[in-house]
Amino acid sequence: MRSVASRRSFMSAAGIAAIASLSIAAEPAKASRPSCNPRLTRLIALYDRADAQCERFDREVEMPARDACRAAIDALPSEPPPPHVESRTTFENAFGETARLSTSVPGLVASAPRWLSDPAFAGPELEDWRQAHREILEANEKREALIAAQTEKRRAIEAEKRSRFRIEAIAARSADLARRRDNLADAVLATPAANLTDLAVKLEFIERLVSPGQVTEHEFTFISADIRRLAGEA
């Protein structure tokens, strides 16, 4: 019901509104027009009450709880990641320099398994080079495990804060309220218009629900059915 309409559905709804407006204008004076269907009036009143309840719950309960929870989480101390590690073994690089590998080079760590499994890099003259890569792979695996443990610990702490502020329960209640409001909106649209007064009331209701650029096939279907019914086509 809240999805953005295609140009076709918007134009169709706009055309329906224009036709209905012309028809209503052609009716007798307002004092002699038929009154609105009491069921339609009651459903709109129930919708307005449900909509106000949603806004009040959002303003007074959900947003304050979420803000307080976020502030509590932001206030938690940040645990720095474990330091990078260098290989114990050194080797002579292509420039004749003594080199040492480090986990701080992501590309090196990622390519190490491929180099170690490549027969072209086997041989006693490259054993120090190969050993340095083995050490850096082992060191990186241990470092990644520590980071994963830190992440899991942080998630557990954040989950405890969300539980403390009842975020999931509040979100579920908010969803229930919104679902009830939306069901009432659909009930208003689904109530057959018995006359043009009912149709005008439903059009005003739609204008309160969505802006012209957001009218969808959902609203169009109900209003189209009303107009056809009033025109004797259904």
Side-chain angles (χ1 to χ4, degrees), residues 69-85:
C69 182
R70 175 48 53 193
I73 289 175
D74 289 345
L76 292 171
S78 296
E79 188 174 3
H84 283 285
V85 179

Side-chain angles (χ1 to χ4, degrees), residues 13-191:
I16 285 176
I19 293 170
S21 298
L22 290 173
S23 300
I24 293 167
E27 277 194 322
K30 184 176 182 180
S32 62
R33 290 177 190 166
S35 59
C36 182
N37 180 350
R39 170 178 166 77
L40 185 59
T41 303
R42 180 172 179 276
L43 283 172
I44 291 176
L46 288 173
Y47 169 85
D48 288 339
R49 188 184 307 169
D51 188 47
Q53 189 176 10
C54 282
E55 292 185 3
R56 185 167 57 252
F57 188 83
D58 180 75
R59 181 178 64 253
E60 298 178 1
V61 179
E62 185 169 15
M63 287 302 101
R66 289 190 180 278
D67 289 343
C69 182
R70 175 48 53 193
I73 289 175
D74 289 345
L76 292 171
S78 296
E79 188 174 3
H84 283 285
V85 179
E86 292 185 338
S87 62
R88 299 183 302 278
T89 302
T90 61
F91 58 92
E92 187 176 297
N93 64 20
F95 303 101
E97 303 167 335
T98 299
R100 193 187 300 270
L101 302 182
S102 171
T103 58
S104 63
V105 185
L108 184 154
V109 174
S111 62
R114 180 160 60 93
W115 301 140
L116 287 172
S117 62
D118 191 333
F121 293 93
E125 73 280 4
L126 292 175
E127 184 52 34
D128 286 345
W129 179 89
R130 291 172 61 82
Q131 179 59 26
H133 279 75
R134 292 190 195 99
E135 292 171 4
I136 216 62
L137 278 176
E138 180 182 356
N140 187 70
E141 183 177 340
K142 291 179 179 178
R143 184 173 183 275
E144 290 295 323
L146 289 173
I147 292 175
Q150 287 179 336
T151 301
E152 187 60 30
K153 178 181 176 183
R154 177 75 180 195
R155 285 175 179 167
I157 294 173
E158 291 186 4
E160 186 279 327
K161 295 296 182 186
R162 287 192 295 272
S163 176
R164 174 187 166 193
F165 287 96
R166 301 178 60 250
I167 297 302
E168 289 187 6
I170 289 172
R173 175 58 177 162
S174 178
D176 287 342
L177 291 173
R179 191 159 39 245
R180 179 174 181 273
R181 177 199 59 197
D182 293 344
N183 287 341
L184 283 167
D186 283 346
V188 171
L189 295 178
T191 299

Side-chain angles (χ1 to χ4, degrees), residues 189 201-210 215 219 223:
L189 295 178
V201 169
K202 290 177 73 171
L203 286 170
E204 290 172 0
F205 180 74
I206 290 174
E207 288 176 355
R208 289 202 288 127
L209 284 185
V210 294
V215 175
E219 294 84 12
I223 296 301

Side-chain angles (χ1 to χ4, degrees), residues 219-230:
E219 294 84 12
F220 166 73
T221 298
F222 291 111
I223 296 301
S224 175
D226 283 333
I227 290 181
R228 288 190 172 92
R229 187 183 306 107
L230 294 175

